[in-house]
Structures are given as structure tokens and as C-alpha cells.
Amino acid sequence: MWHHLIWILVLWLLSGITTANQVPQRASEVALIGTNRTLVCNITSVELTVWMFNNKDQLSQGLTIFTPSQYALDVRNDDTQMALTVITADEDDEGLYSCQDQGNPVMEFILTIEIPPTLKFEFSNSIHSTNGTVDVTFTEETAVQCIARGSKPLVSLRWEVDGRGAVGEVATNNSRDDERITVSTLRYIPNVGDKTLACITGGQQVVLSKKVEAKINVMYAPKCSLLISNETTNEFRLFCRCEANPPPNNYGIYVNDSLQSTEKEVFISSQSPAVVFCNASNIIGADTTDPVELGEFHVGQPISGGIIALIVCVLILLILMIALVIVFLQRRKVKKHQDSHGRTLATCEASKIPLPVGGEQGKIEDMSNPSSVPLIDQSSQKAEPSEQMNKEVTEGKGDPSKESPQKAEPSEQNKENTDDTSDPSKVPLMDPSSQKDVPSEQDKENTEGKGDPSKESSQRDVPSEQDKRRMESETR
């Protein structure tokens, strides 16, 4: 039994030694000055939990708080956590906070208080500043200081020009922590397009970056050019155009080295050659243009841009009109060719009609012209001998050398048809489809008479009525 008691005593002593040598958990906390900060500790007994400050000041016992104006307690997660809240933390609240459970340290918190700085620009006496705008000079080095005061811990500073990192020399001077001052100096040469200059803080955890910004007014001397025009009259318009900041307050336009005007615009006669130039100045500096010689090329009234545009428009209209005329003539030519081709086809069709042999020369010439050939109805047309043919037959009677191959005696109907063919208006229209392979009565008679000497001789000996009348008139 005594052995059991001894073992229990040994185990109790060992557990006490282990607890006494237990190392608490440690964490770092940062609070912005003037705000609340809560520290949470894991516990096993609410009544036996104690909060200490810097290991010497007891802040609470269980749920009892000794300085309620500065701290607050609450229990969380079914009495397994106890939270201590530092109310409106200030620099005096910065330090070590420890949580003890049943006399043993469980957790420790190192609380740091951060203080934001006050930030501003400082300029040398040579730089003028009005209403937050800084006047700087182009091509001249500018020195600007950014000062951060009262920060805890000390902050870092950086520069920006128009939202971009500034190009230039930066020197930073951090003073002692008790003075809490950081100074940064920027030396750079402004560009004409620079608009804003900014100084930005960094290096703090809970304090957001602060920025101080100033507008930049980059001043520069005039840069001038002389514009010469002559569009409407026989006068030159001389215009001295200058870019400058601030704007030029003095202008001068010179003609042949003589001051012509103190304004930035003047008109001079273009009847004689001249040498012209201009200058301008402001508080930063001055500029003079190169001399321009107005020779014979300038005298008179040169073509202006408006006149050139008008000429181009007229040329375009002329080209369009010519193109339209060409298109119209081409279409007219094509149409005429089509009409001629149609008439040629009609003539070719009409040329297939059997015509009297030995017709008058004038009729043959008329038929050579397609437009004068009348259309003939093949169904009603028969091959008929003409008057000339009949005359040749009659005159050649009894003379074998003058006998015409065509010996058929013309009938009264043939005479009428012959007379009708002399008048184109009386010629009936012919159906080309019916003209092919349809022989006339005369063709039939000639065909029948061929090879029969008796019929051929009888045809020669029988004169027509017209031949009889002609013979009677000759007898009288």
C-alpha cells in the first residue's frame, strides 16, 4: 500500500514540473491607434483564467475585469475560449498580453500600435506654388521635398509623375524613431506634358498608404513658326504661331528687317519680293523664326486648297460624262448592228424567191439594196416573164442568134403580174416556208417543152397579143 502512495506522489510531482516548464503560444497583433483590438485565448476553466499585461499587471480574474474602461471580457465556444478586448487602443496599450489557465501561461500576444503620418510637400524659394499648383520650368532641374511626420513606425516614401514612377534622383532621410520624421527629396527635369506630382507612403500594416499630390504647371519658352498664305487677294497673310506656357506677351513680325507689326497677324502686299520673319517672348524666354524670302513664286495669287478641290471635282465630272457618252454610243452601235443583221437575214430569206430572168437593170439594182427589196408571198407568186423579156422574144423572132432561151408565150395574167412587179407596193408578201420546191407555171411549161422540138417550135411561132399589136403598129 505504501508503494502505491509513493507512486502517486511521484506522478503528481512530475506533472507539476511539466506544467511549470510549458512554453505558451505567442502571436503578434497590430492595431490602428484609436481602434479596438480583441485577443482570444483557449482555456479549460473560466474561473481559473487570468489576463496579465507585461507580466506584472493583472487585468482580470475569471469574468471579473479590474479596469472596465479600458478592457472587456467575453467567453466563447462553450467556455473553451476567453476573449480580451482592448478598447480604443493607444500607444500606452502597446506591450505583452498573456493568458494563464490555472496559473500556467497558455498564450501570449505582442500588441503594436500604428500611427499614420501627416504628409506634405515643401518647395524651395525658387519654385512658386499657388492653390496646390507648382510652377516648374521645362529643361531645368526641379527639387521637391516630401515630408512624413508622426508616423509609427517610420514610413517609406516613393514618387510618381502622372501615375508613373518618377525618373530622377531620390534621397531619403529617416530621423530617429522618437522624432518620427521621414524626408524624401526628388530632383528631376520636368517634361512639357507633365501634369501631376505625387508622394506616396508605405511600410505599415494596418495603416493604408497615404498620398499627397500637386498639380504641375510646366512653363517653357515660345516655339514659333511663320505661316504664309495668299488665297483671296494679292496680299500675303503672315501669321506668327507660337506654342508657349505662359502664352507670349510680345510679338513682332518683320518685313525686310523692319518691324511691320507687334501683333501675331498682319497682311502685306504681294507685288514685290520681301524677306519676312517673326519672334515672340514670355517670362521664360523668346524665339525667332528663320527668315523666309517671298520671291516671284509668291507674287500673285497662288492656287488655294479650295480651288484645287474644285478643279478635281470638275475633272471627275468630265470623266463621268465622257464615260456615259462612250457607253451610249457603244449601245447605239450594237443596236444598229443588230438591226442591220436582222435586215440581212430577211434579205437572205427573200433572195431565195425565183425572180424573172432578164429583168430590167433598175430592178436588179434595187434588189441589190436589201431595204428596197419587197417581200413576196411565194404561195401567190409565179415565175412570170417581164416586158423586156417579151420584147426580146418578139424582136428575136426569126433570128436564131437573138432567140431567148425563154420561148414561152406570155399570157394576159403574166402581163398583169409583170406590171404588178414594177410597183413594189403591189407585190404581195411571200411566205418563205411555201416558196421552196414549188415551180411556177412557166417553169412547168419550160420543163415540159424541153426535149420536145415540136412543142418548142410551136411556142416560137405563136406570138402573144402584145406582139400582135406591136406588129400591127409597125405595119401602119
Side-chain angles (χ1 to χ4, degrees):
M1 181 177 180
W2 289 104
H3 294 287
H4 291 290
L5 292 176
I6 292 172
W7 277 111
I8 292 173
L9 180 60
V10 170
L11 291 174
W12 180 79
L13 291 174
L14 291 175
S15 63
I17 295 173
T18 303
T19 304
N21 294 331
Q22 182 179 356
V23 177
Q25 297 180 7
R26 177 167 291 188
S28 296
E29 298 289 339
V30 180
L32 176 63
I33 190 170
T35 62
N36 297 340
R37 191 64 179 180
T38 299
L39 311 175
V40 180
C41 177
N42 297 322
I43 62 173
T44 58
S45 174
V46 174
E47 292 76 9
L48 299 178
T49 300
V50 176
W51 282 93
M52 302 290 293
F53 179 62
N54 290 332
N55 291 326
K56 60 180 180 179
D57 298 329
Q58 183 176 352
L59 304 179
S60 66
Q61 176 66 55
L63 292 176
T64 302
I65 191 75
F66 299 142
T67 53
S69 61
Q70 290 182 305
Y71 304 100
L73 288 174
D74 66 285
V75 178
R76 304 176 181 179
N77 294 333
D78 297 332
D79 296 341
T80 60
Q81 291 181 336
M82 178 174 287
L84 173 69
T85 301
V86 182
I87 301 173
T88 313
D90 58 18
E91 291 187 75
D92 294 336
D93 294 321
E94 191 175 66
L96 177 64
Y97 291 82
S98 59
C99 171
Q100 298 179 2
D101 184 11
Q102 299 181 18
N104 299 314
V106 178
M107 298 188 69
E108 293 181 347
F109 302 90
I110 300 175
L111 181 62
T112 302
I113 305 298
E114 285 190 353
I115 303 174
T118 58
L119 200 62
K120 72 173 185 176
F121 284 127
E122 287 190 1
F123 305 97
S124 61
N125 294 331
S126 60
I127 298 178
H128 180 67
S129 176
T130 57
N131 297 326
T133 300
V134 181
D135 294 333
V136 296
T137 303
F138 177 61
T139 70
E140 291 186 6
E141 185 180 80
T142 300
V144 184
Q145 282 189 339
C146 179
I147 302 176
R149 288 187 172 92
S151 65
K152 183 179 182 301
L154 292 178
V155 296
S156 61
L157 299 174
R158 61 186 178 89
W159 295 87
E160 286 185 353
V161 176
D162 291 340
R164 306 182 305 272
V167 178
E169 180 184 352
V170 178
T172 303
N173 179 21
N174 291 327
S175 62
R176 296 178 313 197
D177 289 345
D178 55 350
E179 294 181 354
R180 299 178 182 175
I181 297 176
T182 304
V183 179
S184 179
T185 303
L186 172 67
R187 298 181 181 274
Y188 87 113
I189 298 176
N191 295 316
V192 173
D194 291 349
K195 301 297 182 182
T196 58
L197 178 67
C199 176
I200 304 170
T201 66
Q204 293 181 305
Q205 295 185 39
V206 296
V207 176
L208 299 178
S209 295
K210 297 191 66 176
K211 178 169 69 174
V212 60
E213 190 174 71
K215 294 181 179 180
I216 301 176
N217 179 34
V218 182
M219 299 183 298
Y220 52 94
K223 184 63 178 177
C224 301
S225 60
L226 183 61
L227 303 181
I228 304 173
S229 61
N230 182 19
E231 297 185 358
T232 57
T233 65
N234 287 328
E235 288 183 333
F236 283 122
R237 175 180 177 265
L238 306 181
F239 183 79
C240 191
R241 184 178 67 180
C242 301
E243 296 182 359
N245 184 29
N249 50 13
N250 292 311
Y251 283 95
I253 299 179
Y254 294 81
V255 178
N256 295 329
D257 293 330
S258 297
L259 181 62
Q260 186 74 18
S261 174
T262 57
E263 301 295 330
K264 60 182 179 180
E265 182 181 32
V266 70
F267 290 87
I268 64 172
S269 174
S270 61
Q271 299 303 317
S272 59
V275 177
V276 296
F277 64 91
C278 74
N279 61 20
S281 62
N282 61 7
I283 60 174
I284 304 301
D287 184 46
T288 302
T289 64
D290 295 331
V292 177
E293 183 176 357
L294 304 179
E296 294 182 358
F297 176 79
H298 298 85
V299 176
Q301 190 171 0
I303 299 177
S304 66
I307 297 176
I308 293 175
L310 180 60
I311 292 175
V312 171
C313 292
V314 171
L315 290 176
I316 293 175
L317 289 176
L318 288 176
I319 293 172
L320 291 176
M321 292 178 63
I322 293 172
L324 291 175
V325 170
I326 292 174
V327 172
F328 174 76
L329 293 176
Q330 289 289 342
R331 290 185 177 180
R332 184 175 179 182
K333 183 177 180 181
V334 171
K335 185 177 180 182
K336 185 176 180 181
H337 177 72
Q338 292 175 349
D339 294 342
S340 176
H341 183 64
R343 288 195 299 269
T344 303
L345 292 177
T347 303
C348 292
E349 293 294 336
S351 64
K352 299 177 182 179
I353 304 172
L355 298 177
V357 179
E360 297 179 359
Q361 185 66 24
K363 294 181 181 179
I364 295 176
E365 291 176 357
D366 291 340
M367 291 180 65
S368 65
N369 185 4
S371 62
S372 62
V373 176
L375 298 176
I376 302 174
D377 187 0
Q378 178 72 16
S379 63
S380 61
Q381 179 64 31
K382 298 180 180 179
E384 307 293 346
S386 64
E387 290 184 359
Q388 183 66 28
M389 178 180 175
N390 294 333
K391 184 177 180 180
E392 291 176 357
V393 170
T394 304
E395 293 176 354
K397 183 178 180 181
D399 188 357
S401 62
K402 295 183 181 181
E403 286 184 1
S404 173
Q406 190 71 19
K407 304 293 176 120
E409 178 182 357
S411 63
E412 292 296 328
Q413 182 67 30
N414 293 341
K415 295 176 183 180
E416 293 175 0
N417 291 339
T418 304
D419 294 337
D420 293 340
T421 57
S422 63
D423 186 0
S425 64
K426 296 181 181 181
V427 178
L429 295 176
M430 177 190 68
D431 185 3
S433 63
S434 62
Q435 74 171 4
K436 297 180 181 179
D437 302 329
V438 180
S440 64
E441 292 297 329
Q442 184 66 34
D443 293 336
K444 294 178 180 180
E445 293 175 3
N446 293 338
T447 303
E448 293 173 356
K450 287 181 180 180
D452 191 348
S454 61
K455 292 183 179 180
E456 186 174 349
S457 60
S458 64
Q459 290 177 357
R460 291 196 193 100
D461 297 336
V462 179
S464 65
E465 293 297 330
Q466 184 177 359
D467 294 337
K468 292 179 179 180
R469 287 195 295 271
R470 186 179 299 110
M471 293 174 64
E472 291 177 358
S473 64
E474 289 178 355
T475 304
R476 293 191 187 99

